[in-house]
Amino acid sequence: MAPKVLSFFTDFFVYETAKSVVVKSWTVGIINRVVQLLIILYFICWVFMHEKGHQLRDTGIESAVMTKVKGLGNFSNRVMDVADYVVPSQGASVFSVITKMVITANQMQGRCPETDNKFKCSTDAQCIEKLGSHLGNGIITGTCLNNNVTNGTTGWCEIEGWCPAEDDKINVTAMKEVENFTIFIKNSIRFPQFNVTRGNFPSSINHSYIQNCTNDPVNNPFCPVFKVGDILRHVNQSLDSITDNGGEIGININWKCNLDYDVENCKPKYFFTRLDAAFEHNTVSKGYNFRFAKYYQSEDGTEYRTLHKAFAIRFEIIVSGNAGKFNAVPFLINLVTAFTSVGLATVLCDIILLNFHKGADEYKAKKFEEVSGIVSESRNNIPYQGSQASIKALEKTTNDSGTFSIGRQE
Ligand SMILES: *[C@@H]1O[C@H](CO)[C@@H](O)[C@H](O)[C@H]1NC(C)=O
Ligand SMILES: *[C@@H]1O[C@H](CO)[C@@H](O)[C@H](O)[C@H]1NC(C)=O
Ligand SMILES: *[C@@H]1O[C@H](CO)[C@@H](O)[C@H](O)[C@H]1NC(C)=O
Ligand SMILES: *[C@@H]1O[C@H](CO)[C@@H](O)[C@H](O)[C@H]1NC(C)=O
Ligand SMILES: *[C@@H]1O[C@H](CO)[C@@H](O)[C@H](O)[C@H]1NC(C)=O
Ligand SMILES: *[C@@H]1O[C@H](CO)[C@@H](O)[C@H](O)[C@H]1NC(C)=O
Ligand SMILES: *[C@@H]1O[C@H](CO)[C@@H](O)[C@H](O)[C@H]1NC(C)=O
Ligand SMILES: *[C@@H]1O[C@H](CO)[C@@H](O)[C@H](O)[C@H]1NC(C)=O
Ligand SMILES: *[C@@H]1O[C@H](CO)[C@@H](O)[C@H](O)[C@H]1NC(C)=O
Ligand SMILES: *[C@@H]1O[C@H](CO)[C@@H](O)[C@H](O)[C@H]1NC(C)=O
């Protein structure tokens, strides 16, 4: 029993190392080194330099955005200021700038004809068919108002609701001054993992500069004031089509920070996109519009309202980004992967040697030694017993260096 336990221990505490076969062939040698070089280059250039594989990355950016629009417009002989055309007025990261409105004043509850062509009629029967439709400006009563109202043979179905009904087919000119409006954007971000807080303009900017500058990627990259006309030029949109139909524009603020350098180098980049570009060539639901109403009460207590159908440019400020900083764990993991991957060259070279090379058979014979026969013949001399004694026995019986050399085969 005791010798068995002892031999178990001596068997266990051994070190095994692989025996190498050196192939002195130019082709395989060059392939081996080239593949190794490519793998090393891949890790240096792509994994470490481009993908920053040695850094810990924080993608959970926390961000707050505040906006302020400035500018005066002239819409239907009315001077419009910020309170008139920015909805909602809180200065959030999503807001609309109204460029055109169809205003229907003094609407009161009552009965009146429809205005939409869908509700044209000549007899009551045609209106009864449309009962329950919710495409109109009010509830269809089933009466066709013809001759008295239109003096013609065709009229419109009568509705009950806010009267007179809105007619949004009238021509109004959009407020073109929107081109000169400016948007001030204040964006502060934080990378919680590294406790880094940044703002989109440096604290050195002074009052007179901020009041007069407009952002421009070359001359004023850190000016937080954007001109709407410049943004439209960046997304290649014509002022006329977007002010007439409305649209959605995205202002992307991208933060990519390498915190291995000074945190002052962590600066934002701005990109602009037309978010509704997918529907640009659609015939239906083009642009962006919405309705809102203002309510009043006359002295006798009757309620009336002014309905606005507003066409607007909707701005959405989208903040994205990540930060990276050197960290031992990802660095070591990628380094070990790199070293391990260099060994992949061996696999490729083995495939070539064993299958496509001139000396394939010789190489095969050296690489795959068959030992089963020897084990049964002279069990005592074979080193796989594992004890130190057997290693000595090996040294006595062979003066093999442990390395085979197969000659060059030019
Ligand atoms: C507004 O525009 C109209 C013509 O579109 C013009 O007659 C009027 O003078 C303008 N008002 C102001 C204050 O510029
Ligand atoms: C339409 O005109 C006729 C007379 O031509 C009149 O009797 C009728 O009351 C009018 N209807 C309405 C709704 O005004
Ligand atoms: C309808 O006809 C009457 C007289 O026939 C005329 O006074 C009125 O202006 C006409 N209304 C419309 C909208 O044409
Ligand atoms: C609106 O203007 C267009 C051209 O600008 C014209 O073809 C159309 O008839 C006008 N519509 C109305 C109701 O005036
Ligand atoms: C915008 O401003 C420029 C320069 O101040 C001016 O020439 C242009 O007419 C303005 N655009 C509109 C639509 O008012
Ligand atoms: C984050 O940094 C600020 C100073 O920049 C410091 O006052 C605060 O204690 C830090 N918070 C944590 C959790 O380290
Ligand atoms: C404001 O800053 C600008 C450049 O950033 C500088 O040229 C200007 O002199 C400064 N003005 C004041 C009053 O400090
Ligand atoms: C604003 O900037 C323009 C040029 O960009 C300059 O001509 C003008 O004097 C500046 N105004 C103020 C008040 O600084
Ligand atoms: C802008 O749009 C016009 C036509 O809509 C096109 O011809 C032009 O190439 C576009 N420019 C860019 C920079 O995309
Ligand atoms: C060991 O080396 C000697 C001389 O260095 C040589 O004569 C002998 O053949 C070698 N034995 C083997 C097994 O290679």
Side-chain angles (χ1 to χ4, degrees):
M1 196 64 197
K4 259 194 180 170
V5 174
L6 185 69
S7 90
F8 173 78
F9 273 106
T10 50
D11 284 358
F12 183 72
F13 290 104
V14 292
Y15 172 69
E16 291 165 23
T17 184
K19 185 166 141 186
S20 305
V21 179
V22 173
V23 183
K24 291 193 174 164
S25 153
W26 281 110
T27 27
V28 181
I30 288 170
I31 290 172
N32 180 37
R33 293 299 178 208
V34 167
V35 172
Q36 283 179 343
L37 187 72
L38 287 179
I39 291 170
I40 290 170
L41 281 180
Y42 163 77
F43 272 94
I44 291 177
C45 297
W46 182 260
V47 175
F48 286 109
M49 287 170 80
H50 186 269
E51 293 290 297
K52 304 274 189 296
H54 56 288
Q55 289 185 333
L56 188 66
R57 206 138 277 280
D58 184 0
T59 50
I61 183 170
E62 293 171 355
S63 142
V65 173
M66 192 221 79
T67 58
K68 194 172 265 184
V69 183
K70 285 225 160 87
L72 292 168
N74 174 1
F75 176 72
S76 315
N77 273 330
R78 267 202 304 179
V79 174
M80 304 268 287
D81 70 4
V82 179
D84 295 324
Y85 59 71
V86 174
V87 191
S89 52
Q90 283 88 348
S93 60
V94 180
F95 61 94
S96 302
V97 173
I98 295 170
T99 55
K100 193 175 102 175
M101 280 189 288
V102 175
I103 300 173
T104 315
N106 298 324
Q107 282 190 322
M108 274 189 241
Q109 288 286 320
R111 293 184 172 217
C112 55
E114 253 296 354
T115 53
D116 198 284
N117 286 341
K118 278 195 289 291
F119 296 100
K120 271 191 171 157
C121 63
S122 49
T123 62
D124 284 357
Q126 287 172 323
C127 289
I128 289 167
E129 261 174 37
K130 298 195 174 82
L131 282 178
S133 162
H134 44 243
L135 298 172
N137 288 306
I139 295 174
I140 307 284
T141 58
T143 314
C144 186
L145 297 177
N146 43 20
N147 307 328
N148 303 47
V149 180
T150 62
N151 283 3
T153 49
T154 55
W156 276 278
C157 295
E158 189 190 47
I159 56 159
E160 180 161 359
W162 288 101
C163 285
E166 177 196 78
D167 180 8
D168 60 4
K169 291 180 293 298
I170 59 166
N171 278 349
V172 276
T173 44
M175 183 169 67
K176 300 289 180 208
E177 287 83 2
V178 74
E179 147 187 48
N180 285 342
F181 290 0
T182 58
I183 302 167
F184 168 70
I185 298 173
K186 199 160 87 176
N187 173 218
S188 87
I189 56 130
R190 182 167 171 267
F191 290 109
Q193 207 167 338
F194 306 123
N195 191 22
V196 167
T197 309
R198 299 290 296 158
N200 67 326
F201 53 91
S203 45
S204 60
I205 280 187
N206 60 33
H207 203 252
S208 61
Y209 175 76
I210 219 167
Q211 281 197 330
N212 196 27
C213 73
T214 49
N215 186 287
D216 139 22
V218 182
N219 299 323
N220 289 317
F222 303 116
C223 176
V225 179
F226 297 82
K227 213 168 122 180
V228 174
D230 291 343
I231 295 175
L232 293 181
R233 223 162 297 132
H234 280 300
V235 296
N236 200 15
Q237 294 294 319
S238 86
L239 180 72
D240 288 336
S241 93
I242 206 163
T243 50
D244 277 345
N245 299 315
E248 275 190 277
I249 290 199
I251 301 175
N252 299 47
I253 307 180
N254 187 257
W255 295 84
K256 258 214 175 79
C257 295
N258 188 346
L259 298 175
D260 290 344
Y261 300 113
D262 189 3
V263 72
E264 289 302 315
N265 293 322
C266 178
K267 286 168 181 163
K269 278 208 181 78
Y270 301 95
F271 303 97
F272 308 95
T273 45
R274 172 127 196 205
L275 295 176
D276 57 352
F279 308 106
E280 210 176 340
H281 302 294
N282 281 25
T283 48
V284 293
S285 185
K286 224 177 163 161
Y288 174 62
N289 64 66
F290 57 91
R291 284 186 179 81
F292 64 96
K294 289 172 183 165
Y295 295 86
Y296 311 92
Q297 205 162 23
S298 62
E299 273 174 14
D300 65 353
T302 337
E303 192 185 27
Y304 63 101
R305 72 172 194 184
T306 302
L307 178 69
H308 302 253
K309 178 179 182 180
F311 294 82
I313 308 177
R314 184 176 141 114
F315 290 95
E316 249 174 71
I317 294 163
I318 303 156
V319 180
S320 60
N322 59 58
K325 194 174 193 173
F326 176 83
N327 188 288
V329 174
F331 175 66
L332 286 179
I333 289 173
N334 279 309
L335 197 67
V336 169
T337 316
F339 281 128
T340 317
S341 305
V342 169
L344 286 177
T346 317
V347 177
L348 183 72
C349 294
D350 274 358
I351 291 171
I352 295 172
L353 269 176
L354 292 172
N355 298 299
F356 307 112
H357 203 256
K358 268 188 285 180
D361 290 337
E362 192 187 352
Y363 178 70
K364 251 181 221 167
K366 292 287 185 193
K367 186 169 166 65
F368 304 108
E369 271 184 291
E370 288 185 18
V371 292
S372 55
I374 306 169
V375 170
S376 59
E377 274 168 26
S378 52
R379 204 179 161 78
N380 290 338
N381 284 343
I382 293 306
Y384 298 106
Q385 296 280 339
S387 72
Q388 283 177 335
S390 64
I391 291 173
K392 273 180 198 135
L394 172 74
E395 282 168 352
K396 270 178 219 149
T397 53
T398 172
N399 49 7
D400 196 327
S401 69
T403 305
F404 284 106
S405 291
I406 302 173
R408 291 202 188 286
Q409 300 155 331
E410 272 84 10

